[in-house]
Amino acid sequence: MAVPIAFRPLTKYADFNGRARRQEFWLFWLVQFLFFSVLNSIVMALMFQSFSTISAQTDPSNFMFNPTFMVLGQVGNVISLALLVPNLAVGVRRLHDTNRTGWWLILPIAAFVVGLVLFLVTQGGHLASLFTDKYENNPQAVFSLIGSGFLMVWLPTFVGSVVLFVFNVLDGTPGANRFGPDPKGRGVTADVAQTFA
């Protein structure tokens, strides 16, 4: 029995070799998005229902200990953790399909870390002064820090994510590349096709 393409990354759980088609990559993400959207909607509905049943006389923090949505939330966390490796593997194989190394996958994380270090090195003194009386009545300095954080941390991370998104949207290399044969079967010559016939 053939495994549907949306679940194929689960059968190749930790396989970082070879290539993955766009269809395999995006359908796997779509199934996860739909699953977690439904799960989170149920958790939020149960949480708000629990919160609304608390009377004004009781402690409002008690709603956090409703076992139903707490357990569902933890189940979602465990499933997310279990899907981390196949997500990384299919991401690497997808980059392989475009003839790029899987190390491109860390581009947004690397941009975030480098940007954060740069922000802390250049703005660390201003950030520390923020908690003193020096900046108490100086909103311009606060907005300057926010702007610097945006330019040094958020913007490079966003650009790295867009670059990775574009790589994942691009069609794979027709025919075989350095990571293996084309998963779509393109580039097979007539001589090779006759040997398989």
Side-chain angles (χ1 to χ4, degrees):
M1 182 173 141
V3 176
I5 196 164
F7 299 104
R8 197 170 295 160
L10 294 176
T11 63
K12 300 177 180 181
Y13 192 84
D15 185 6
F16 292 86
N17 298 315
R19 296 167 62 175
R21 297 175 58 173
R22 284 182 292 188
Q23 186 179 22
E24 178 182 347
F25 177 82
W26 289 111
L27 284 177
F28 187 56
W29 276 97
L30 178 64
V31 167
Q32 290 178 80
F33 174 77
L34 293 174
F35 172 77
F36 285 111
S37 295
V38 169
L39 182 66
N40 289 334
S41 298
I42 292 170
V43 168
M44 293 299 287
L46 290 171
M47 183 178 75
F48 286 124
Q49 179 188 20
S50 176
F51 186 68
S52 66
T53 58
I54 295 173
S55 66
Q57 292 81 23
T58 62
D59 182 14
S61 64
N62 287 339
F63 87 98
M64 289 304 290
F65 298 101
N66 181 325
T68 308
F69 75 84
M70 293 293 284
V71 168
L72 280 177
Q74 294 309 316
V75 166
N77 290 339
V78 168
I79 292 172
S80 292
L81 192 59
L83 291 174
L84 178 64
V85 173
N87 277 313
L88 291 174
V90 75
V92 167
R93 289 196 315 272
R94 178 72 203 116
L95 288 166
H96 287 174
D97 193 38
T98 62
N99 206 20
R100 290 176 177 83
T101 179
W103 287 107
W104 279 100
L105 200 60
I106 65 169
L107 179 64
I109 298 167
F112 174 79
V113 169
V114 169
L116 185 62
V117 168
L118 184 64
F119 174 74
L120 292 175
V121 166
T122 60
Q123 304 296 323
H126 297 293
L127 196 60
S129 300
L130 188 64
F131 299 104
T132 65
D133 294 337
K134 182 179 177 183
Y135 285 104
E136 187 175 289
N137 295 318
N138 193 354
Q140 183 180 3
V142 173
F143 286 120
S144 173
L145 279 172
I146 292 171
S148 297
F150 175 82
L151 288 175
M152 293 182 196
V153 181
W154 185 85
L155 190 60
T157 305
F158 177 74
V159 170
S161 299
V162 168
V163 168
L164 197 58
F165 175 78
V166 169
F167 287 166
N168 287 321
V169 169
L170 292 174
D171 192 16
T173 308
N177 65 17
R178 60 189 169 138
F179 298 105
D182 188 349
K184 291 183 179 178
R186 298 172 296 184
V188 178
T189 62
D191 297 334
V192 175
Q194 286 178 356
T195 61
F196 290 115

